[in-house]
């Protein structure tokens, strides 16, 4: 190949840029952004959860980046759409890990998606902090000996069911369960079946429904026939509003308990024309806006709609697990790569968070507080704050 | 007894909804031989149009309902001109992909424009409870049923008496012959899409006060309506209406007496069973509205 004058100059320029870039490159290393992936349902019948997660992630990134990021490194966010299903969760994790090259994932909001994602985060060796998946099976599939890449902040339904059933047994002797027909609903129903037996509550019937259903009246007629003292709903606010209207339409007056996102501002916003429609409903949960009024205000100012529970749970996972772990990883190793973040998560111990202490045990499970929140006069009221023991 | 009556009321309400959506699907197939997989999304858009007219603009319920149906009628015309006309002469694969793509696009557009939070549109009738023989129901339910009957009677009159309706019937029997004798087949196809979409909009205005409106609401509805069209005899409108009520009742009785979780499966098993016995559909008609 003959080198012309022009091509020689071109090669020289390229070499100069490449070699000269070495030093700025070292400096840029320090300023490389921390890439955080958020996986949730952005499409499909559960898309409301993903929208909340997306909004929360944008707020967090803006807030942290305005302060200069974490240890001088900006936060760069990416999103993976799991559509609330295990199959899509696999694609979401692969996209976040292989395409967006994230350092850590927060997700997957839905239990089925979590179960689908777990083997992939292990295979791709990317740390994932679970913020809202309560299926009890997840605990068997994560931890130092099983899957060292996954961590769960929220309690599972076995932990919640034991405390909630104890509370219910004080005033209730028979219950019908009405649950989503997915890993969240079925996991919770199985956990409550066991807990009810332990506390002497008779389980009258268990019914499952597919998300996006329009008409609950047929099953409400069945509940009417079974006539339990109370009904335990395992459902999200998006279904809850239609359900509650039809519950009253049929004329049912049973005491209501819930798991999901019924005692939330999202739900109250949807039934704002009839705010006391679910008065007396008590939900077992681990987050409510009262825990962090500043976050709620920030949310309302920015999005003009009530704060979303799933976005807030992703924010908890970011603020009190991922961000401190990244900081710790940089302090300890000078890096914030997947391995160092994973190691830092194992050693994490954040005592004062709105949801309680976040520290992962050997099964990579944290034990935050459980709350019993009641809807009363169209308002949310914390009835009890219960410390969950390992 | 009141228990059975309750299930029948649910079944008839659901059947009315399925029938109004299925009618549009059957009309489209009957006249232009195309399965519109975006038809559930017409219902979804009709729901949002109704929400906007009723909850945002504060129009009275009947006006808001008619406005939603009219808006969807216009949308149906635009859909025929913008999407359908260019694919009518293409193979069924192209038509399938085009209508499915429209369905996905509309759902995601709704997420972008309206957000994911379901829209609630309670009306006075949906909030007022009647007690009929021990069966409690919102007044909106009988309204849905009565309105559905009136709509179907009007449609029946239209396709048997009105000039355009007769042209639609003729086209459902032989499109080429219609073109030869001077029927403006493009105009008839255009009108069919307008009417079908308006029916979906009307259904949304009637049913949305009872159920939520959300971007994904049309997905399952398309399947149910499609099932009704198949069971009723493809493209036969009266058959689709009857089959839609049959599916609504089967679903309600299955949910009430067998299993709520498997009610959809049971309804589809009914469909398969009917087709095994009568592959040409329940009413055994050749294609024709």
């Amino acid at each position: 190949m003959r080198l012309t004058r022009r091509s020689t100059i071109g090669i020289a320029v390229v070499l100069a840029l490449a070699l000269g870039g070495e030093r700025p490159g070292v400096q840029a290393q320090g300023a490389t952004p921390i890439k955080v992936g958020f996986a949730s349902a952005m499409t499909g019948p559960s898309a409301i959860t993903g929208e909340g997660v997306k909004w929360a992630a944008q707020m967090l990134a803006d807030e942290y980046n305005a302060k200069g990021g974490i240890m001088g490194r900006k936060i760069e966010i990416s999103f993976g759409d799991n559509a609330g299903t295990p199959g899509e969760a696999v694609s979401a994790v692969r996209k976040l890990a292989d395409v967006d090259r994230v350092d850590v994932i927060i997700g997957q909001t839905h239990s089925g998606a979590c179960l689908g994602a777990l083997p992939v985060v292990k295979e791709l060796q990317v740390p994932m902090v679970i913020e809202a998946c309560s299926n009890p099976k997840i605990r068997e599939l994560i931890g130092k000996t099983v899957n060292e890449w996954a961590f769960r902040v929220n309690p599972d339904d076995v932990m919640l069911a034991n405390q909630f059933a104890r509370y219910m047994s004080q005033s209730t002797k028979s219950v019908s369960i009405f649950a989503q027909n997915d890993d969240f609903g079925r996991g919770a129903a199985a956990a409550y079946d066991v807990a009810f037996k332990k506390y002497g509550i008779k389980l009258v019937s268990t019914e499952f429904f597919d998300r996006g259903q329009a008409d609950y009246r047929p099953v409400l007629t069945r509940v009417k026939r079974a006539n339990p003292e109370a009904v335990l709903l395992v459902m999200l606010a998006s279904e809850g509003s239609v359900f509650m209207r039809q519950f009253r339409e049929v004329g049912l007056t049973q005491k209501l308990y819930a798991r999901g996102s019924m005692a939330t501002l999202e739900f109250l916003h949807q039934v704002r024309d009839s705010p006391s429609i679910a008065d007396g409903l008590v939900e077992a949960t681990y987050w409510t806006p009262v825990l962090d009024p500043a976050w709620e205000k920030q949310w309302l100012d920015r999005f003009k709609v009530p704060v979303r529970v799933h976005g807030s749970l992703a924010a908890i996972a970011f603020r009190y697990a991922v961000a401190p772990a990244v900081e710790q990883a940089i302090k300890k190793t000078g890096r914030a790569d997947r391995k160092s973040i994973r190691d830092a998560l194992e050693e994490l111990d954040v005592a004062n968070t709105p949801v309680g202490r976040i520290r992962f045990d050997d099964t990579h499970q944290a034990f935050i507080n459980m709350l019993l929140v009641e809807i009363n006069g169209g308002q949310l009221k914390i009835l009890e704050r219960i410390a969950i023991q390992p | 007894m009141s228990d059975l009556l309750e299930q029948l009321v649910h079944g008839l309400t659901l059947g009315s909804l399925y029938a109004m959506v299925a009618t549009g699907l059957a009309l489209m197939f009957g006249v232009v031989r195309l399965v519109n997989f975006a038809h559930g999304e017409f219902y979804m858009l009709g729901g949002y149009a109704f929400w906007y007219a009723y909850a945002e603009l504060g129009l009275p319920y009947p006006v808001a309902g008619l406005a939603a149906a009219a808006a969807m009628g216009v949308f149906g015309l635009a859909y025929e001109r913008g999407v359908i006309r260019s694919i009518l002469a293409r193979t069924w694969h192209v038509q399938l992909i085009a209508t499915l793509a429209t369905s996905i696009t509309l759902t995601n557009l709704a997420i972008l424009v309206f957000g994911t939070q379901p829209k609630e549109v309670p009306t006075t009738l949906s909030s007022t409870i009647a007690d009929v023989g021990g069966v409690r129901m919102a007044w909106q339910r009988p309204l849905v049923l009565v309105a559905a009957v009136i709509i179907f009677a009007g449609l029946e009159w239209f396709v048997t008496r009105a000039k355009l309706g007769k042209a639609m019937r003729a086209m459902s029997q032989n499109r080429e012959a219609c073109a030869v004798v001077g029927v403006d087949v493009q105009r008839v196809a255009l009108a069919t899409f307008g009417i079908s979409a308006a029916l979906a909009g009307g259904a949304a205005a009637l049913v949305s006060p009872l159920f939520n409106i959300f971007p994904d609401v049309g997905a399952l509805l398309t399947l149910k309506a499609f099932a009704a069209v198949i069971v009723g005899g493809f493209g036969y409108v009266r058959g689709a209406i009857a089959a839609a009520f049959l599916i609504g009742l089967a679903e309600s009785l299955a949910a009430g007496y067998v299993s709520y979780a498997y009610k959809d499966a049971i309804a589809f098993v009914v469909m398969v069973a009917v087709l095994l016995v009568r592959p040409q559909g329940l009413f055994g008609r050749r294609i024709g509205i």
Side-chain angles (χ1 to χ4, degrees):
Chain A
M1 190 180 76
R2 215 179 103 224
L3 288 176
T4 62
R5 193 175 165 190
R6 188 178 291 177
S7 60
T8 309
I9 292 169
I11 290 167
V13 169
V14 169
L15 280 174
L17 283 173
L19 296 173
E22 188 75 22
R23 217 177 323 159
V26 172
Q27 284 167 357
Q29 178 71 16
T32 308
I34 310 291
K35 294 183 177 179
V36 183
F38 289 82
S40 189
M42 311 287 176
T43 56
S46 305
I48 189 167
T49 57
E51 188 176 59
V53 169
K54 208 169 201 174
W55 291 353
Q58 283 160 353
M59 246 163 69
L60 289 164
D62 292 348
E63 179 191 323
Y64 275 73
N65 289 338
K67 292 187 295 192
I70 301 173
M71 303 284 287
R73 294 175 64 176
K74 299 272 185 185
I75 304 297
E76 194 177 294
I77 52 173
S78 310
F79 299 102
D81 177 13
N82 65 30
T85 64
E88 292 298 319
V90 172
S91 310
V93 170
R94 289 198 184 281
K95 181 250 180 196
L96 288 171
D98 292 340
V99 180
D100 300 328
R101 311 288 306 158
V102 299
D103 302 306
V104 57
I105 294 171
I106 293 173
Q108 306 267 337
T109 313
H110 300 274
S111 290
C114 257
L115 289 164
L118 286 175
V120 194
V121 297
K122 186 178 179 182
E123 178 201 325
L124 301 178
Q125 304 201 332
V126 54
M128 177 170 82
V129 178
I130 300 164
E131 84 295 21
C133 306
S134 59
N135 187 294
K137 263 190 238 161
I138 292 168
R139 194 160 181 207
E140 298 163 19
L141 301 172
I142 61 174
K144 281 182 178 170
T145 56
V146 197
N147 184 345
E148 58 180 357
W149 294 93
F151 298 79
R152 181 161 66 173
V153 172
N154 65 285
D156 70 25
D157 271 307
V158 167
M159 301 173 202
L160 296 172
N162 275 315
Q163 300 293 337
F164 203 17
R166 177 192 56 75
Y167 171 83
M168 289 184 207
S169 67
Q170 294 165 13
S171 60
T172 305
K173 293 291 165 229
S174 63
V175 178
S176 282
I177 296 176
F178 189 56
Q180 289 184 190
N181 191 15
D182 57 15
D183 287 300
F184 165 52
R186 288 196 175 264
Y192 281 93
D193 188 2
V194 174
F196 286 163
K197 283 189 184 105
K198 188 173 164 188
Y199 287 96
I201 298 172
K202 186 184 172 196
L203 179 58
V204 176
S205 63
T206 303
E207 301 284 351
F208 295 99
F209 66 95
D210 291 321
R211 300 205 60 202
Q213 288 295 332
D215 204 350
Y216 300 100
R217 277 193 60 130
V219 78
L220 288 170
T221 309
R222 285 165 76 99
V223 170
K224 201 173 175 181
R225 214 183 301 146
N227 197 25
E229 274 183 48
V231 179
L232 170 66
L233 308 174
V234 185
M235 62 167 58
L236 302 185
S238 40
E239 273 89 24
S241 54
V242 173
F243 178 87
M244 276 314 305
R245 288 179 204 279
Q246 293 178 9
F247 188 85
R248 298 299 181 212
E249 183 189 351
V250 171
L252 292 172
T253 53
Q254 270 81 355
K255 168 92 181 150
L256 288 167
Y257 299 106
R259 264 291 295 129
S261 56
M262 292 290 286
T264 60
L265 293 180
E266 288 168 72
F267 172 78
L268 292 176
H269 179 71
Q270 281 178 243
V271 294
R272 58 194 178 284
D273 60 296
S274 178
S276 56
I277 196 168
D279 265 9
L281 178 146
V282 177
E283 176 152 65
T285 185
Y286 32 88
W287 193 85
T288 192
V290 178
L291 296 178
D292 194 349
W295 169 255
E296 188 193 355
K297 185 179 179 310
Q298 195 184 344
W299 182 289
L300 266 176
D301 288 347
R302 180 155 174 176
F303 300 116
K304 316 292 179 209
V305 296
V307 61
R308 300 252 175 103
V309 64
H310 296 99
S312 306
L313 292 170
I316 294 283
F318 181 85
R319 274 188 207 282
Y320 305 109
V322 169
V326 167
E327 191 174 332
Q328 195 54 39
I330 296 172
K331 277 183 186 162
K332 199 168 174 179
T333 65
R335 299 189 311 273
D337 57 15
R338 292 174 181 179
K339 170 83 169 59
S340 56
I341 293 174
R342 192 208 68 81
D343 291 345
L345 281 166
E346 276 199 336
E347 289 165 17
L348 185 83
D349 187 358
V350 185
N352 295 315
T353 86
V355 293
R357 185 175 192 172
I358 295 183
R359 184 174 55 171
F360 298 105
D361 70 357
D362 286 350
T363 64
H364 285 186
Q365 173 70 54
F367 296 91
I368 60 174
N369 296 328
M370 169 185 167
L371 306 167
L372 294 181
V373 179
E374 186 185 38
I375 299 179
N376 201 327
Q379 302 290 319
L380 302 178
K381 183 182 158 195
I382 297 180
L383 293 181
E384 270 188 52
R385 216 179 280 245
I386 302 163
I388 294 177
Q389 300 303 323
Chain B
M1 187 61 195
S2 76
D3 200 74
L4 178 65
L5 201 58
E6 284 217 33
Q7 303 301 354
L8 293 177
V9 168
H10 315 150
L12 290 173
T13 314
L14 274 180
S16 304
L17 167 63
Y18 298 158
M20 283 185 274
V21 178
T23 301
L25 263 182
L27 271 178
M28 287 175 182
F29 187 81
V31 176
V32 297
R33 302 288 186 276
L34 175 135
V35 179
N36 178 30
F37 283 100
H39 206 60
E41 281 61 46
F42 285 16
Y43 170 85
M44 177 267 291
L45 287 181
Y48 281 113
F50 170 67
W51 162 79
Y52 186 74
Y54 183 73
E56 295 294 296
L57 299 180
L59 298 177
Y61 176 61
V63 180
L66 289 172
M72 286 315 298
V74 173
F75 181 83
L77 300 178
Y79 178 64
E80 198 277 340
R81 289 300 296 265
V83 179
I84 300 301
R85 195 166 289 187
S86 56
I87 58 167
L88 265 185
R90 310 287 292 274
T91 62
W92 67 268
H93 313 88
V94 176
Q95 296 177 355
L96 174 83
I97 296 298
T99 56
L100 268 179
T102 307
S103 157
I104 295 166
T105 307
L106 290 177
T107 303
N108 287 290
L109 270 177
I111 291 177
L112 274 177
V113 176
F114 301 107
T116 51
Q117 180 97 26
K119 303 288 184 202
E120 298 262 338
V121 208
T123 60
T124 314
L125 286 176
S126 72
S127 312
T128 316
I129 310 296
D131 194 327
V132 184
V135 178
R136 284 168 53 91
M137 67 180 102
W139 277 107
Q140 189 75 25
R141 287 179 193 269
L143 173 73
V144 170
L145 196 56
V146 171
V149 170
I150 293 170
I151 288 170
F152 297 140
L155 192 67
E156 177 69 19
W157 176 87
F158 177 76
V159 294
T160 51
R161 300 287 173 85
K163 194 177 169 192
L164 181 60
K166 285 178 184 170
M168 285 164 68
R169 282 174 62 207
M171 246 179 89
S172 75
Q173 288 162 15
N174 193 327
R175 184 187 170 96
E176 287 71 29
C178 285
V180 168
V181 297
V183 174
D184 186 344
V185 290
Q186 283 198 337
R187 188 172 145 264
V188 176
L190 185 70
T192 304
F193 274 82
I195 291 166
S196 300
L199 276 172
L206 284 167
V207 177
S208 296
L210 292 170
F211 311 142
N212 277 348
I213 306 154
F214 50 96
D216 220 38
V217 70
L220 193 58
L221 197 54
T222 304
L223 285 181
K224 299 277 178 68
F226 191 49
V229 171
I230 295 172
V231 172
F234 233 112
Y236 178 44
V237 173
R238 285 181 216 163
I241 293 170
F245 278 102
L246 186 73
I247 289 173
L249 286 168
E251 203 178 300
S252 182
L253 293 172
Y257 295 106
V258 187
S259 160
Y260 189 72
Y262 298 108
K263 67 183 175 64
D264 293 336
I266 291 165
F268 282 105
V269 165
V270 169
M271 182 189 93
V272 172
V274 167
L275 292 180
L276 281 175
V277 181
R278 293 183 67 83
Q280 72 277 37
L282 205 53
F283 298 93
R285 292 266 306 227
R286 61 192 173 78
I287 291 168
I289 62 170

